[in-house]
Amino acid sequence: MEQNLSQYYIFYTAAQCGSISRASRELYISQPAVSKAIQKLEQSLNTVLFRREARGVSLTEEGRLLYRHVREAFHSLDEAEQTLARRKKLGISHLRLGASATLSRYVLLPFLQRFIRAYPHVKITIACQSTYRTLELLREKKIDLGLVGRPGSLKGCEFLPLQSIQDTFVSTDTYLSNLSLREKDSNLFHTAVFMMLDEENITRQFVNDALREQGIELKNVLEVTSMDLLIEFAKIGMGAACVIREFVQKELDQKELLEVPLGIAFPPREIGFACLKESMDLSPVREFLALSGAGEKPAKKPASGKA
């Protein structure tokens, strides 16, 4: 760029203010200095950027084109300054994480434990929010890393896969036996109580879509607020709980729970850490990702079989 950056900033300010006099007050320089800088820029670009009017100035077509690019450039510079300031302020002393309560409990917790042991001097804050809200916090720069399912649109974020998960329905063997004794209809979709997360939960929505694609409608649905409660309710024989297979693998191995034979398969989903590109170089982010191995190895192969 051949021109002095200050000329572009004066042009940018005058375009925002729509007035040479207001721009001079904003910039704390004289009106002639503002006019002279704009004239020099116009001469160097061999174009007219402003129309001089009675009540101020307005951009020409060429001026509007230049303004859009200059605005984006100064916005990028502002973001860079904020990132540098935060790096200087935080150093390796603060890591802001976001994840749903379920992913915090079953996925994030082991990584946190190892990170705290390795970096006891780093301050950690966690926002336990839904996946949708976690992504919002990330884009608002209120967290550094978000543990989420792979988003449909990244929008400036990097996604580093961690593992695959698969949804399934589980219950006790006793529940299924009692159900067959008291119900004449052998169709589980009509007779069983299906315990699921609420409609706003991303897991519930994913399962609903998969069932709908296969033309399946569940007659008896009991909504439960958390994955932990779903698992505990399934253990005491309240019904068939929609859970993530990897989160009940211990109970499945010990035969405390079994997968309900519904004859349908849910496609696997991928979870991982989402991060804004400009935050990738922050020390605590880099160290946490290195410790977790996110994005550095293939995602775990989901368990085979039908849900």
Side-chain angles (χ1 to χ4, degrees):
M1 183 174 63
E2 297 179 359
Q3 307 309 317
N4 191 307
L5 187 62
S6 65
Q7 291 179 7
Y8 282 103
Y9 189 69
I10 291 171
F11 160 77
Y12 170 71
T13 305
Q16 282 190 313
C17 293
S19 165
I20 299 296
S21 59
R22 284 199 294 271
S24 71
R25 290 195 296 270
E26 183 77 19
L27 295 167
Y28 296 100
I29 59 177
S30 67
Q31 292 186 39
V34 173
S35 297
K36 185 176 181 181
I38 293 173
Q39 288 172 3
K40 284 185 176 180
L41 187 60
E42 289 179 323
Q43 290 170 3
S44 65
L45 297 175
N46 193 29
T47 190
V48 177
L49 300 174
F50 287 105
R51 297 187 187 91
R52 276 66 177 178
E53 300 173 345
R55 295 186 177 182
V57 294
S58 63
L59 290 168
T60 63
E61 183 178 349
E62 291 81 4
R64 287 194 297 271
L65 174 64
L66 180 63
Y67 175 72
R68 286 196 295 271
H69 289 282
V70 170
R71 180 181 58 191
E72 291 177 4
F74 280 116
H75 179 70
S76 295
L77 286 171
D78 184 58
E79 284 191 340
E81 288 179 351
Q82 290 179 27
T83 300
L84 288 173
R86 195 159 67 83
R87 287 188 64 175
K88 183 177 180 181
K89 178 181 178 182
L90 299 178
I92 57 171
S93 63
H94 193 193
L95 176 64
R96 305 173 302 168
L97 301 172
S100 67
T102 297
L103 292 181
S104 294
R105 165 70 175 83
Y106 292 98
V107 179
L108 185 61
L109 197 58
F111 297 127
L112 277 176
Q113 187 176 27
R114 293 202 292 271
F115 185 81
I116 290 169
R117 288 175 180 172
Y119 303 97
H121 54 289
V122 176
K123 176 184 177 181
I124 299 173
T125 53
I126 304 174
C128 284
Q129 302 284 347
S130 68
T131 292
Y132 292 125
R133 182 56 183 152
T134 297
L135 289 171
E136 287 177 359
L137 292 174
L138 192 65
R139 292 178 182 124
E140 292 169 2
K141 301 182 181 180
K142 294 180 180 178
I143 59 174
D144 303 308
L145 277 175
L147 179 59
V148 297
R150 179 183 284 276
S153 175
L154 293 175
K155 293 183 180 178
C157 295
E158 294 285 346
F159 180 79
L160 303 170
L162 190 62
Q163 70 176 86
S164 288
I165 57 174
Q166 195 157 20
D167 302 282
T168 187
F169 282 94
V170 298
S171 72
T172 61
D173 184 53
T174 302
Y175 173 75
L176 294 179
S177 298
N178 291 341
L179 190 64
S180 65
L181 289 175
R182 69 173 183 262
E183 299 286 349
K184 294 180 180 180
D185 190 346
S186 61
N187 188 336
L188 290 175
F189 296 121
H190 296 163
T191 59
V193 173
F194 291 95
M195 300 181 293
M196 307 177 73
L197 295 170
D198 62 78
E199 290 278 3
E200 294 184 359
N201 187 278
I202 193 169
T203 292
R204 171 71 181 277
Q205 294 172 11
F206 179 85
V207 172
N208 280 351
D209 290 342
L211 292 173
R212 195 176 298 113
E213 287 176 3
Q214 300 183 59
I216 296 171
E217 181 180 358
L218 305 179
K219 296 295 184 182
N220 308 303
V221 175
L222 172 64
E223 289 192 348
V224 180
T225 57
S226 73
M227 184 72 65
D228 282 341
L229 283 176
L230 282 173
I231 295 170
E232 293 305 315
F233 287 168
K235 287 180 182 179
I236 64 172
M238 281 189 63
C242 181
V243 299
I244 293 171
R245 179 185 286 127
E246 287 73 15
F247 300 168
V248 293
Q249 195 59 57
K250 178 181 176 181
E251 288 82 356
L252 293 173
D253 291 342
Q254 295 177 352
K255 309 300 182 184
E256 188 176 3
L257 292 171
L258 55 83
E259 293 190 75
V260 181
L262 297 176
I264 59 176
F266 294 104
R269 295 184 284 149
E270 198 170 40
I271 59 174
F273 289 104
C275 179
L276 291 177
K277 292 179 180 179
E278 61 261 33
S279 298
M280 294 288 289
D281 290 331
L282 292 173
S283 296
V285 172
R286 187 172 61 248
E287 289 157 358
F288 189 87
L289 291 174
L291 183 145
S292 71
E296 298 179 0
K297 58 185 178 182
K300 294 180 183 178
K301 185 178 179 181
S304 59
K306 293 185 177 181

